[in-house]
Amino acid sequence: MKSEKIVVCGGGGFIGGHLVADLLRQGFTSIRAVDLKPFDEWYQRFPQVENLQLDLQEKAACEQALQGAHTVYNLAADMGGMGFIELNKGLCMLTVLINTHLLMAAKKFGAQHFFYASSACVYNADKQRDPNVTALKEADAYPAMPEDGYGWEKLFSERMCRHFREDFGVATRAARFHNVYGPHGTYAGGREKAPAAVCRKVIEAKLSGKHEIEIWGDGHQTRSFMYIDDCLKGTQAILHSDILEPINLGSDELVSINQLVDIVEDIAGLKLKRNYNLNAPKGVNGRNSDNTLIKKLLGWAPEVRLRDGMEKTYRWIFDEMVKSRMVGAVPKNML
């Protein structure tokens, strides 16, 4: 089993890089990582892995990527935080080409396992209007009213996975990720998500001595955030399970953005004046993961406390930002 070919699509990205590292730690010896980005922009890259730079929106590239594949993880997408998603709906929709061509290639080459990384953005917007949100169950994706652009693409791709499984026997599994964060991720440049963005802003305030922070929205919007280690464990467990329908993979520890800032301020050891930008993208008012089903089917759910995960994330971003100031360079994660 350790020698069967595993292909990580989006292997140069945040989650993909961590997944490749985890597979190597487990002793897998035949791993292929594929990403659109130039190699020097990959968040993590490992010489013992077959690394390919390919545009997976192209059918021929997907066939090249999946030749000989036993297991496929599709983590590839043109996406980012809410600022990117709301302003790039067309680009987000084009990601449907990636999953389409990967499924076709998986069918052609007989891949035994196919994992699709979906998103909590598939959920009906009417159920996310209140910051005191009722945690979202898997059934709440229908009737469909997902996040425009990105959410629609994810929901459609979930259905495509289902029908390739039912019609062609491709063994697909899908998980709806809820706000994954951790070290080795994007923290500036427009694609970063809230945990990394807040860390960066607090660190900038600490290093500059200007103790102010801009918060998008009124700070009352609520979310749950899943640490990368929980994402990796859940992803691999779901891939090898008998769970056929898309399932939540996220923490159920609900916090407001104001509370997230509180946590990072405490880690940094300072208090900041808060300036609220009510015109900035902020997404839905409330979103949380109902983990009833994953606990029932896997006997497990994401368990890393937000405070613990944020401390590790803050320390990594702090070191990266100090390093960039010392050498006068811009890290790839800020491009």
Side-chain angles (χ1 to χ4, degrees):
M1 292 292 291
K2 298 288 185 181
S3 63
E4 291 170 335
K5 178 73 72 179
I6 300 175
V7 181
V8 179
C9 302
F14 164 52
I15 300 175
H18 277 284
L19 177 59
V20 171
D22 190 59
L23 292 169
L24 288 170
R25 283 192 294 269
Q26 294 178 57
F28 289 96
T29 58
S30 183
I31 304 170
R32 180 182 295 150
V34 186
D35 206 284
L36 174 64
K37 294 183 288 293
F39 290 138
D40 62 358
E41 294 181 16
W42 286 31
Y43 293 2
Q44 298 184 72
R45 184 157 62 98
F46 305 92
Q48 63 271 51
V49 167
E50 180 188 2
N51 298 303
L52 300 179
Q53 183 190 354
L54 296 171
D55 184 355
L56 294 176
Q57 292 188 24
E58 302 292 334
K59 180 181 177 183
C62 290
E63 293 192 349
Q64 181 181 345
L66 264 57
Q67 284 189 14
H70 176 273
T71 298
V72 180
Y73 290 94
N74 179 13
L75 307 172
D78 197 352
M79 59 85 68
M82 193 50 60
F84 180 82
I85 288 173
E86 289 199 0
L87 299 175
N88 295 276
K89 296 182 177 69
L91 287 177
C92 290
M93 290 297 292
L94 282 174
T95 297
V96 74
L97 294 172
I98 297 176
N99 197 56
T100 301
H101 291 140
L102 284 175
L103 281 169
M104 293 170 67
K107 172 179 175 287
K108 178 176 181 177
F109 295 117
Q112 297 299 300
H113 300 281
F114 186 102
F115 177 87
Y116 177 66
S118 187
S119 166
C121 288
V122 303
Y123 283 112
N124 189 311
D126 279 345
K127 295 182 179 292
Q128 303 172 76
R129 299 191 184 280
D130 189 341
N132 300 310
V133 64
T134 300
L136 295 161
K137 296 180 181 293
E138 284 76 5
D140 291 332
Y142 296 94
M145 194 194 301
E147 186 83 40
D148 200 10
Y150 179 72
W152 275 110
E153 186 277 323
K154 289 294 186 183
L155 192 63
F156 178 84
S157 292
E158 283 185 5
R159 302 298 289 189
M160 184 172 289
C161 286
R162 173 180 179 172
H163 295 310
F164 264 69
R165 185 185 72 249
E166 293 174 343
D167 293 358
F168 306 124
V170 180
T172 59
R173 300 291 185 269
R176 293 170 178 162
F177 289 175
H178 288 247
N179 293 311
V180 187
Y181 73 99
H184 296 286
T186 301
Y187 58 87
R191 290 179 183 257
E192 68 277 14
K193 295 187 177 182
V198 171
C199 286
R200 186 200 78 240
K201 291 178 180 181
V202 171
I203 293 166
E204 286 172 344
K206 187 179 182 75
L207 295 178
S208 69
K210 185 178 180 181
H211 288 184
E212 296 185 9
I213 185 172
E214 181 186 79
I215 297 174
W216 287 7
D218 60 12
H220 296 302
Q221 63 269 34
T222 55
R223 296 289 187 278
S224 64
F225 301 99
M226 173 173 56
Y227 190 61
I228 183 63
D229 290 0
D230 280 334
C231 179
L232 298 177
K233 182 175 181 178
T235 292
Q236 293 171 78
I238 291 166
L239 173 82
H240 294 292
S241 75
D242 295 325
I243 303 171
L244 299 182
E245 297 300 325
I247 189 168
N248 279 333
L249 183 55
S251 169
D252 57 5
E253 183 182 352
L254 185 69
V255 294
S256 69
I257 298 302
N258 279 328
Q259 290 171 322
L260 181 65
V261 176
D262 289 341
I263 290 171
V264 181
E265 285 180 337
D266 183 60
I267 293 168
L270 78 167
K271 293 295 291 184
L272 305 175
K273 177 186 176 184
R274 301 183 183 187
N275 303 313
Y276 295 93
N277 183 350
L278 301 181
N279 295 317
K282 71 180 186 69
V284 296
N285 289 326
R287 177 181 294 152
N288 193 16
S289 178
D290 185 310
N291 287 344
T292 303
L293 189 59
I294 194 170
K295 289 176 180 177
K296 175 183 177 182
L297 298 179
L298 290 183
W300 171 88
E303 55 196 359
V304 176
R305 286 194 321 138
L306 181 59
R307 178 62 166 75
D308 296 337
M310 287 300 294
E311 183 154 10
K312 295 177 182 178
T313 305
Y314 176 91
R315 302 300 176 200
W316 181 82
I317 295 175
F318 184 89
D319 289 346
E320 290 292 300
M321 291 179 66
V322 169
K323 189 190 312 177
S324 68
R325 286 163 66 99
M326 292 175 61
V327 301
V330 179
K332 63 178 178 291
N333 306 76
M334 296 184 67
L335 296 175

